[in-house]
Amino acid sequence: MSHFITQEASISLAWATPGFTGNPATSDYFDLTLGHNDLGISSTNATTLSLPAGTYHVRATLGGTKPTEGSYIDYQWELDGSTVGNRAGWDTNAGNDKVTTEYAEAVFSITSATALRLLCNLAAGANVIQDEYSGVVIRGAAL
Amino acid sequence: MTFVPIKTSNIAGGFYSGVGAVSLSAGTVIKPQTEQLFGQSKSFSYNSTTGVFTLNSSKTYVIEADVMTTWNSTTPRFYITYGFFDNTSTEISDSSRGSVRGYRPDRYYQSYTLISDETALAVIDGSSVSSFTWEIIATQANVSTVFTADSGVGSSSYSTTRCRLYIREY
């Protein structure tokens, strides 16, 4: 005899607003300010979120102003000190013309509280991040 | 005896398109006319006459929206920005605006500095925001230009992209 058990994969949500004071440079981390938060995420400091155990999809986009055609930023998620997911960035025609996604995304599972940061991989020029064009959506579920 | 788990999702959602060839300017409420639903039964509603999405106070939502436009002048440099507003005309706090820029990246960045993703994004808690609209925030061009949604003619006739909005309910 088989018994069928319905298990709902309940997904919860959080929002964070990325920002940066000044002009982000290579190896800087972007500030992450929590908004809506159904996931029990906490802020360790201005640039670090502590995610409880679970499975996650994180998505970040950064908007702002770039002073020249060739200026750009390139960014990626960093989980527990290691980069994860795809690199995203701003369009540029400096050296090698590049049109790319502005969305940095990653999917991962963690078994204990883990630090999540948004890393500026590369930067050229005096770029300025604008909060109203930037956002982070975190979808999470229990393991 | 065997126990067989059946996993279901708690997600309902909708895909909204068919805006039509309407002019786009600051304050325009974008009103998709076509609704396609997916997932579980939804508890939000949409009024295609007003463009208002009414939300369930016990749900949380992820919203994504893109604008597709064509223009009537020759090779303008331009951008259009858009986002989400509540029923008091206040921009949703947990949101990021999208922008479309043109008409070519190299020429655009000779005139303007704004860059962002094309997709406007939001997380909305239905317990604090009861409804929202999708609106044009600003249009900017170096020459007088009429921007039209979804027309699929003129300089962008190669594109099959159309204005669209996704809403996912959790």
Side-chain angles (χ1 to χ4, degrees), chain B residues 19-149:
Chain B
V19 168
V22 298
S23 295
L24 301 175
S25 59
T28 299
V29 175
I30 303 172
K31 302 169 186 174
Q33 299 299 302
T34 303
E35 178 185 69
Q36 296 169 282
L37 302 177
F38 59 87
Q40 296 188 337
S41 178
K42 68 180 176 64
S43 60
F44 63 90
S45 62
Y46 174 63
N47 184 326
S48 62
T49 302
T50 61
V52 174
F53 290 84
T54 301
L55 307 178
N56 183 315
S57 61
S58 64
K59 299 289 187 179
T60 305
Y61 298 85
V62 177
I63 319 293
E64 299 178 36
D66 293 272
V67 165
M68 182 271 184
T69 188
T70 54
W71 51 91
N72 71 338
S73 64
T74 303
T75 64
R77 300 169 190 178
F78 71 88
Y79 63 83
I80 300 176
T81 61
Y82 40 92
F84 309 109
F85 292 80
D86 68 15
N87 58 0
T88 66
S89 298
T90 301
E91 191 166 6
I92 300 296
S93 59
D94 289 349
S95 70
S96 61
R97 299 174 182 174
S99 69
V100 287
R101 305 168 302 277
Y103 84 98
R104 287 181 1 200
D106 56 346
R107 295 192 180 185
Y108 170 82
Y109 292 115
Q110 291 167 2
S111 296
Y112 298 115
T113 60
L114 174 69
I115 182 169
S116 81
D117 198 79
E118 287 79 1
T119 303
L121 183 64
V123 169
I124 302 179
D125 185 338
S127 67
S128 53
V129 175
S130 60
S131 65
F132 76 92
T133 50
W134 173 27
E135 299 182 20
I136 300 295
I137 296 172
T139 64
Q140 182 71 49
N142 67 329
V143 294
S144 179
T145 303
V146 174
F147 294 106
T148 305

Side-chain angles (χ1 to χ4, degrees), chain B residues 6 139 160:
Chain B
I6 301 172
T139 64
T160 58

Side-chain angles (χ1 to χ4, degrees), chain A residues 3 5 7 9 36 64 132, chain B residues 2 4 6 8 94 97 115 117:
Chain A
H3 292 267
I5 305 168
Q7 299 176 333
H36 181 86
E132 62 267 41
Chain B
T2 304
V4 179
I6 301 172
T8 63
D94 289 349
R97 299 174 182 174
I115 182 169
D117 198 79

